[in-house]
Amino acid sequence: MTVADDDIRWRVERQFSAIVDRLGDREASAEDSRWATPRPGSPLAHDDSRTTYDPVSFQTHFFLTVAQDHLSTIREIVEGPVGIPSVALYTLARSAIESAAYGIWILKGGNHAKRVKRSLQLSYDAQRSVAVIVAATGSAYDAESVYAELEQNKRSVKSIPLGADLAKLPAISTILADVDLDLRIEPATALEAWRICSGMTHANRWVLSSLSELADVPGGSPGQRRIEASVAVLATVLKAAVELRDRLRWRIANAGESRLN
């Protein structure tokens, strides 16, 4: 390895350490709790009044908490005695990206009707999943009453067309592309970072081999190599996850503390 190679590796490892520091810890979720209850008269309080089953403020704050939980876990693993696993952190990063993106997607809706509709779509989709899971256990679950309340919430907002289908939630890739219009992340967009994480999570061998590093096995036979996580690639996806979390935190605070015009 040349001096230039050593310098590049040192710079990459520094960048990675800086991103790890930004992941935060579990106490960050407690600090964010002050935004869970929006100020009366704020856009978020107005949205809450039309989402009685799962108020927008609680829903988006929950997405923020889940994203932070995954990021905190990544930091604990990286700073722990085990070191950096070759694949597992990408699964945690993917979940953080998805959670934060859902919250941003709701709050970046340009008006009250769009925010409420997006919130109801996510609630409807979540309830469909619950209904399937509960049915598999043989337990009773009255999903229809939940759907009815969500439809009633929809009808309470005159600007939402009566024919709007709450069951038609866009794919996560579409939601991420929409979020990327609100937040430009470099060197990888939210959608690109999610695709990297998805390839790792779903054991795509070609993604894994292309975006990982090979290292000699200590004590192994000559030529024996093992796959290790690339800190450069990992830093790229973690930066996207952190930027999304921070943007969601900002949107919750802004929507919950500002006043309606």
Side-chain angles (χ1 to χ4, degrees):
M1 183 176 291
T2 66
V3 173
D5 290 334
D6 285 337
D7 184 62
I8 292 173
R9 179 174 288 277
W10 177 79
R11 290 176 183 274
V12 169
E13 289 178 351
R14 253 187 101 180
Q15 292 172 353
F16 180 70
S17 296
I19 291 297
V20 170
D21 287 341
R22 289 185 62 193
L23 294 176
D25 52 36
R26 297 185 189 281
E27 293 180 0
S29 296
E31 293 174 3
D32 292 336
S33 64
R34 66 184 184 274
W35 296 324
T37 303
R39 178 183 298 177
S42 66
L44 202 50
H46 186 41
D47 295 344
D48 281 0
S49 69
R50 294 293 185 269
T51 50
T52 59
Y53 178 75
D54 192 9
V56 172
S57 63
F58 182 85
Q59 187 181 38
T60 54
H61 187 265
F62 182 74
F63 283 132
L64 176 60
T65 301
V66 170
Q68 182 57 52
D69 187 64
H70 284 95
L71 295 180
S72 300
T73 301
I74 291 174
R75 182 172 184 174
E76 290 166 4
I77 292 173
V78 170
E79 295 180 342
V82 176
I84 303 175
S86 58
V87 178
L89 297 186
Y90 289 100
T91 303
L92 293 170
R94 180 176 182 257
S95 296
I97 289 171
E98 290 180 351
S99 296
Y102 282 135
I104 295 171
W105 182 69
I106 292 172
L107 295 178
K108 78 180 290 287
N111 53 58
H112 169 65
K114 183 174 286 188
R115 292 192 302 271
V116 169
K117 179 187 174 185
R118 290 179 173 187
S119 171
L120 296 176
Q121 285 176 300
L122 281 164
S123 294
Y124 195 101
D125 186 74
Q127 288 307 309
R128 286 199 302 186
S129 297
V130 171
V132 171
I133 293 170
V134 172
T137 66
S139 303
Y141 183 71
D142 186 11
E144 293 305 319
S145 64
V146 176
Y147 298 149
E149 183 173 353
L150 296 176
E151 287 291 338
Q152 185 177 3
N153 286 172
K154 182 188 76 175
R155 291 193 296 271
S156 71
V157 182
K158 294 181 181 179
S159 299
I160 300 179
L162 291 176
D165 188 354
L166 298 182
K168 291 185 177 180
L169 178 69
I172 182 61
S173 56
T174 301
I175 289 174
L176 285 165
D178 189 12
V179 167
D180 276 327
L181 297 176
D182 182 62
L183 179 63
R184 295 292 184 180
I185 304 174
E186 295 181 351
T189 65
L191 179 57
E192 290 166 344
W194 176 82
R195 283 175 171 157
I196 291 172
C197 292
S198 295
M200 297 291 193
T201 298
H202 296 299
N204 185 317
R205 183 161 51 88
W206 292 271
V207 172
L208 183 61
S209 60
S210 298
L211 300 180
S212 301
E213 296 179 352
L214 290 176
D216 293 330
V217 177
S221 58
Q224 187 177 5
R225 317 285 304 273
R226 69 181 181 187
I227 292 178
E228 293 186 349
S230 165
V231 293
V233 176
L234 193 54
T236 295
V237 300
L238 292 180
K239 183 175 186 295
V242 167
E243 296 289 349
L244 287 168
R245 179 207 60 195
D246 290 350
R247 177 51 65 96
L248 175 55
R249 181 182 287 150
W250 175 84
R251 280 200 170 274
I252 291 173
N254 187 62
E257 296 178 2
S258 61
R259 293 281 182 179
L260 284 171
N261 295 326

